[in-house]
Amino acid sequence: MASRGGFAFFSSQNGLLHCFVFGFLLLVCLQAKAATKKYQFDVQVSNVSRLCHAKPIVTVNGRFPGPTIYAREGDRVVINVSNHAQYNMSIHWHGLKQYANGWADGPAYITQCPIKKGSSYVYDFNVTGQRGTLWWHAHILWLRATVYGAIVILPQQQTPYPFPKPDSEQVLVFGEWWHGDVENIVKQGNAMGLPPNMSDAHTINGKPGPLFPCSEKHTYAMEVESGKKYLLRIVNAALNDELFFAIAGHNMTVVEIDAVYTKPFTTSAILIAPGQTTNVLVYANNAPGRYFMAVRPFQDVPIPVDNKTATAILQYKGVPNTVLPSLPQLPSPNDTTFALSYNNKLRSLNSLNFPANVPLKVDRKLFFTVGLGKSVCPTCINGTRLSASLNNITFVMPQTGLLQAHYSKMRGVFTLDFPDKPPQPFNYTGAPLTANLFTSHGTRLSKIAFNSTVELVIQDTNLLSVESHPFHLHGYNFFVVGTGVGNFNPAKDPSKYNLVDPPERNTVGVPTGGWAAIRFRADNPGVWFFHCHLELHTGWGLKTAFVVEDGPGKDQAVRPPPKDLPPC
């Protein structure tokens, strides 16, 4: 190698070698930035035992919970789902935005018809602009009682977390266990016009813990080392219960919700609704020992729930299993004050790298009331069955995928006349009402202009009873700009909105007897499901969907359907 004027000159051989090495490194970098992660999901029936009861349940790859999906921001994920069970199946990748690719979203009869027994379907999607903890679950019948798992999206290579780097990470998925067959239990409840029997236990990573019988093999334990810090990726996969979670002797620092970074804050317990995820940092800085991690429901109205406490164990390295764990001080089951205070602490990080792009100008204002009611049922015990509605409309599930009908311009599958507000205003959270206020049934959707900004106020009502409702919007994140107790006041409440750093998420808890206001930009074309994530209420009709029109650009329209889209 010679040098002239400070510049190095390579021989042709060394130059070729240099180019080869540079090209190889460039290829490695490109592959690292955009890898393809492939998974095989075999939906099958497996025998599982909990609480001294053994039964067959529907699983993925024979596991309960199912496997965790790992990817990086920017990756392509390809999951082949093969259905070997007796039920039709579809799987939803909860919280992934699926830009212009609703075919990979998964809710049965919304974006696809279900995968029939003996058939397969490939979910193929890109992870764009998202990192954190999400989850996947069955999206048909009540099959997500056992068919669910976590999704871990790591930041791009060389991109640090905006909080202290943990020494280790653990996934905690909360769920439920029924002694009986869940689908039979639901059918029995529907036949009588009553809610089905509640679960027999909650679970942490599929295990109820030692406060239940036959728990020796059914307790999840996590080993920690003194002085180290741990990131817990927490998912609430329970069908019908908001849950408190706490760790004895340890506080938690909340750093992320629904795969969006938050301003960190420290708390003794968290509240997490069905469908939501929360990441917390835990410092192993207490006296070495064994400490219970515990969950139990939050329920501030007199409605029957499975109120037993499920536990797992945080165990310091070197501490023998003979040491008895201590229990944490969980909030009371009806501690509304803690619940409201906790949710008010959630704020978007809103930093230079992770801005909160809150829509400040609103093109479309929507006001949806949540109502419980009764429908005529001649075969039921009291001649009625429970139902639910948005803006006095109980949603009727179609037998054709709504996205397919929209894309192919089929007629007679749905109408685009879902009202922007309830047909009849009333004192929404006043004295209990028993009237249905002329509730109708139909497959009525709301059409939204592409790239328009939307504000939606979700108002709980006292039709039959007030109750909290976790609402999930497919295909989008949204900003929770305001919440309150009582009736929403359009003249006063918007002035109290947080338009600077509101929490950004995909599932919002509407307070009992209160309201939540969300904002989002409708920049994802397609048909997107909007529903209460309490499976009980979804089954009663507490749902609708938004049809977001195509945009003018070539990449702003719904993609053509895949060739293996399941037939109806």
Side-chain angles (χ1 to χ4, degrees):
M1 183 176 71
S3 178
R4 296 179 186 174
F7 291 93
F9 289 84
F10 288 81
S11 68
S12 60
Q13 185 176 0
N14 285 341
L16 288 172
L17 178 62
H18 180 77
C19 289
F20 173 79
V21 171
F22 177 78
F24 176 76
L25 291 175
L26 180 62
L27 179 62
V28 169
C29 288
L30 288 173
Q31 287 177 336
K33 288 181 179 178
T36 297
K37 302 295 175 62
K38 295 185 177 181
Y39 288 85
Q40 174 63 38
F41 273 24
D42 288 309
V43 178
Q44 60 197 65
V45 174
S46 305
N47 287 318
V48 174
S49 175
R50 296 288 188 274
L51 308 183
C52 315
H53 287 73
K55 68 171 185 175
I57 65 171
V58 181
T59 66
V60 169
N61 299 349
R63 297 168 60 179
F64 171 63
T68 298
I69 292 173
Y70 289 91
R72 284 196 182 275
E73 181 183 352
D75 283 353
R76 176 187 177 194
V77 180
V78 179
I79 305 168
N80 183 56
V81 177
S82 299
N83 186 11
H84 308 286
Q86 71 270 36
Y87 299 103
N88 291 341
M89 175 59 63
S90 74
I91 293 182
H92 170 50
W93 318 96
H94 186 113
L96 282 161
K97 295 179 183 178
Q98 309 287 13
Y99 185 80
N101 186 33
W103 313 109
D105 191 41
Y109 299 109
I110 306 298
T111 58
Q112 67 170 94
C113 287
I115 308 164
K116 296 177 181 177
K117 180 178 181 180
S119 298
S120 298
Y121 179 52
V122 176
Y123 292 93
D124 188 341
F125 52 86
N126 295 318
V127 181
T128 304
Q130 292 184 272
R131 84 293 306 164
T133 305
L134 296 170
W135 66 300
W136 58 266
H137 60 83
H139 212 301
I140 184 170
L141 306 174
W142 279 41
L143 291 175
R144 76 175 174 93
T146 57
V147 180
Y148 60 82
I151 302 173
V152 173
I153 306 171
L154 300 171
Q156 292 179 343
Q157 296 279 11
Q158 311 306 319
T159 302
Y161 294 125
F163 48 80
K165 182 181 179 181
D167 297 294
S168 183
E169 302 182 6
Q170 287 285 345
V171 173
L172 299 180
V173 185
F174 305 151
E176 290 157 297
W177 172 263
W178 279 263
H179 291 326
D181 180 277
V182 178
E183 292 305 318
N184 286 337
I185 291 171
V186 174
K187 287 178 182 177
Q188 292 167 3
N190 289 340
M192 293 186 292
L194 300 172
N197 291 340
M198 68 189 74
S199 58
D200 294 289
H202 289 95
T203 58
I204 300 176
N205 287 349
K207 301 175 179 181
L211 302 186
F212 292 88
C214 300
S215 61
E216 292 81 3
K217 297 180 181 179
H218 303 312
T219 299
Y220 176 76
M222 170 185 167
E223 187 178 78
V224 300
E225 293 186 45
S226 291
K228 292 190 174 182
K229 49 187 172 292
Y230 296 83
L231 184 68
L232 302 186
R233 299 178 176 271
I234 301 169
V235 178
N236 185 356
L239 268 69
N240 294 307
D241 291 332
E242 294 183 83
L243 296 169
F244 289 124
F245 172 73
I247 306 172
H250 297 75
N251 287 326
M252 295 171 282
T253 301
V254 177
V255 294
E256 177 199 301
I257 54 172
D258 291 5
V260 179
Y261 295 134
T262 62
K263 288 183 170 66
F265 69 92
T266 301
T267 181
S268 60
I270 69 167
L271 174 65
I272 184 167
Q276 294 180 338
T277 66
T278 303
N279 283 7
V280 299
L281 278 176
V282 176
Y283 292 81
N285 54 10
N286 211 323
R290 301 175 80 222
Y291 299 87
F292 272 132
M293 302 184 282
V295 296
R296 76 175 175 206
F298 163 59
Q299 183 59 271
D300 55 356
V301 291
I303 294 175
V305 295
D306 171 12
N307 60 5
K308 296 178 285 293
T309 301
T311 53
I313 296 174
L314 185 143
Q315 181 163 336
Y316 280 70
K317 188 174 182 180
V319 174
N321 291 343
T322 53
V323 174
L324 293 176
S326 54
L327 275 168
Q329 186 68 39
L330 284 162
S332 300
N334 63 349
D335 195 340
T336 303
T337 301
F338 178 92
L340 294 174
S341 172
Y342 173 82
N343 284 324
N344 284 337
K345 293 175 184 175
L346 298 172
R347 294 283 187 272
S348 290
L349 191 57
N350 194 22
S351 66
L352 183 64
N353 293 328
F354 304 103
N357 297 315
V358 187
L360 301 180
K361 173 181 171 292
V362 176
D363 301 316
R364 181 86 172 271
K365 289 191 175 182
L366 307 174
F367 185 80
F368 289 1
T369 53
V370 179
L372 301 179
K374 294 181 179 181
S375 300
V376 175
C377 176
T379 61
C380 297
I381 289 179
N382 298 319
T384 60
R385 66 159 41 112
L386 292 167
S387 62
S389 62
L390 282 171
N391 280 358
N392 299 11
I393 299 168
T394 297
F395 190 82
V396 176
M397 290 295 288
Q399 295 304 304
T400 300
L402 294 177
L403 180 58
Q404 180 73 36
H406 166 65
Y407 183 85
S408 303
K409 296 181 171 59
M410 297 181 191
R411 293 186 176 181
V413 178
F414 63 85
T415 59
L416 289 172
D417 58 349
F418 190 91
D420 287 3
K421 59 184 179 181
Q424 181 177 332
F426 60 98
N427 183 2
Y428 305 114
T429 57
L433 298 171
T434 57
N436 279 350
L437 295 178
F438 311 108
T439 297
S440 63
H441 293 68
T443 310
R444 301 170 64 179
L445 313 185
S446 179
K447 185 169 72 170
I448 306 291
F450 180 81
N451 210 38
S452 61
T453 53
V454 179
E455 178 179 303
L456 167 59
V457 176
I458 314 161
Q459 173 73 61
D460 186 32
T461 71
N462 206 0
L463 287 169
L464 292 189
S465 173
V466 291
E467 191 173 348
S468 59
H469 300 273
F471 270 89
H472 172 47
L473 176 59
H474 291 226
Y476 289 90
N477 280 358
F478 49 72
F479 292 97
V480 186
V481 295
T483 59
V485 176
N487 295 339
F488 175 74
N489 186 329
K492 296 182 179 179
D493 287 326
S495 65
K496 305 172 189 174
Y497 283 173
N498 176 5
L499 301 177
V500 177
D501 61 351
E504 180 184 349
R505 57 192 329 165
N506 60 62
T507 305
V508 60
V510 178
T512 299
W515 56 271
I518 66 174
R519 287 187 180 183
F520 63 95
R521 180 175 294 277
D523 56 2
N524 190 2
V527 179
W528 303 107
F529 206 20
F530 177 70
H531 63 98
C532 179
H533 220 277
L534 301 180
E535 203 64 37
L536 190 64
H537 294 170
T538 301
W540 290 347
L542 197 51
K543 51 198 173 186
T544 185
F546 293 107
V547 176
V548 179
E549 297 176 306
D550 288 346
K554 65 176 182 178
D555 297 324
Q556 297 175 338
V558 177
R559 301 176 195 171
K563 293 180 180 179
D564 65 338
L565 189 69
C568 294

